[in-house]
Amino acid sequence: MDLSVIVIVVVVTALIFDFTNGFHDTANAMATSIATGAMRPKVAVAVAGVLNLVGAFLSVEVAKTISSGLVDEARITPVVIFAGLVGAILWNLLTWLLGLPSSSSHALFGGLIGATLVAAGASAVDFDTVVTKVVLPAILSPLLAGVIALVATYLAYRITKRGDRATVSKGFRIGQIVSASMVALAHGTNDAQKTMGVITLTLITAGALAPNSGPPFWVVLSAGLAIALGTYLGGWRIIQTLGKRVSDIQTPQGFAAESASAAVILTSSHLGFALSTTQVATGSIFGAGAGRRLASVQWSVARQMALAWLLTLPAAAAVGAVAAWLASTGTVGTVVVAVVAIAAGAGIYAISRRKPVTAHNVNDVPTPGEKAPAGTAS
């Protein structure tokens, strides 16, 4: 296949991944605000979309980590990157269908690593970077965010203990608008950069950019627009999970969770750590749930999420590896990978329409201990 054609295919595929990242991760910023009523669902995703676009222009440190630190760009081709992206996209779609807030970031890393291992061997993967800038942040960031949110929730309830409940609730609702907006901004800053990094890596491997180059402006703009559009459409299934299935979140908890998430994500973006914003947001929500006395936290849901987190990187790596093997056979193999990926994506979407979750029924799920209303979509 002509190099210029495959580069165009990879860029388009990367932007499709960015789009799935947007609707998969909308919940990170807006799930608690929608659950508490601080923001109406459609307004929330619109605000998140705009701020994701703005956030994409704030930093490129994470993009540099991916484009020049994760794999040896001199030993892979755009076809390998295409195969890795296929693994990431299919995992994103599957976990969205199940309503599981897994990591789009780790799906991307897993897909790229699996494809690179098949195409160029283990020596082409910088495992030191994988450990220090991917694995360790994956372990520490949700724990740190959870502890911060737990302490913040406890203090919020202690400080406002003697206040009028209606006034306190209204104040935290306003606060949630600000804190949720900060998370959306942080998400654009961190996650849009991952697609920027992949496109930049593709251009480097194709010889269109010099090694260690940063992303050109058009790459930053297109990645920002793709993730913003995906965010605006809203990943309602995952919003429902984080907003309603984890705990009965109240406004002080929502404010604490969002503030903790924003702080951790923005700090990591500045340091170039490509962490999972999903794991950070989930850790914050569980911490906020545990920080309120007598709150019911669904730890069974936490186990499901933890299993998805553990499977994300190896599962995406396996798909990326198979896709890379097929694509390495030539143009026909690459076309087969593309056709299978499109068919699988269409099948997942078709299944999702059997029990749709939308802006109108996203909060129609019982809080822990309550009986499900008749006809509730799951």
Side-chain angles (χ1 to χ4, degrees), residues 82-91 94 110-112 114-115 118 312-326 337 340-341:
F82 169 69
L85 286 166
V86 167
I89 290 170
L90 291 181
W91 183 256
L94 178 61
L112 285 176
V118 167
T312 294
L313 200 148
V319 177
V322 172
W325 176 76
L326 272 174
V337 171
V340 170

Side-chain angles (χ1 to χ4, degrees), residues 16-29 31 88-105 107 187 191 226-227 229-242 276-279 281-282 308-309 312:
I16 292 172
F17 165 77
D18 205 24
F19 174 81
T20 67
N21 189 349
F23 74 73
H24 195 283
D25 290 5
T26 309
N28 298 349
I89 290 170
L90 291 181
W91 183 256
N92 266 1
L93 291 175
L94 178 61
T95 49
W96 163 75
L97 176 65
L98 299 174
L100 291 174
S102 71
S103 171
S104 298
S105 306
H187 180 258
D191 277 37
I227 200 169
L229 179 60
T231 301
Y232 174 70
L233 292 180
W236 302 111
R237 291 172 180 271
I238 299 175
I239 289 174
Q240 188 179 75
T241 296
L242 287 181
S276 166
T277 54
T278 300
Q279 291 182 357
T282 303
W309 292 357
T312 294

Side-chain angles (χ1 to χ4, degrees), residues 30-174:
M30 295 301 172
T32 54
S33 291
I34 291 171
T36 62
M39 299 178 75
R40 287 179 295 166
K42 285 290 188 180
V43 173
V45 296
V47 170
V50 171
L51 290 174
N52 264 265
L53 176 59
V54 174
F57 289 89
L58 297 185
S59 174
V60 294
E61 292 304 315
V62 174
K64 290 179 180 177
T65 295
I66 294 170
S67 64
S68 60
L70 197 62
V71 297
D72 186 350
E73 63 269 23
R75 296 174 59 186
I76 62 172
T77 65
V79 172
V80 175
I81 299 172
F82 169 69
L85 286 166
V86 167
I89 290 170
L90 291 181
W91 183 256
N92 266 1
L93 291 175
L94 178 61
T95 49
W96 163 75
L97 176 65
L98 299 174
L100 291 174
S102 71
S103 171
S104 298
S105 306
H106 293 165
L108 175 60
F109 302 148
L112 285 176
I113 290 169
T116 300
L117 287 173
V118 167
S123 60
V125 179
D126 188 341
F127 286 102
D128 287 339
T129 298
V130 172
V131 171
T132 57
K133 292 201 171 184
V134 177
V135 176
L136 287 179
I139 296 171
L140 297 177
S141 59
L143 296 176
L144 177 62
V147 170
I148 293 172
L150 187 151
V151 173
T153 299
Y154 173 78
L155 291 175
Y157 278 103
R158 289 284 294 178
I159 292 170
T160 61
K161 185 177 181 181
R162 299 180 184 277
D164 177 70
R165 292 186 65 180
T167 303
V168 168
S169 180
K170 182 178 179 181
F172 276 115
R173 237 183 226 112
I174 296 171

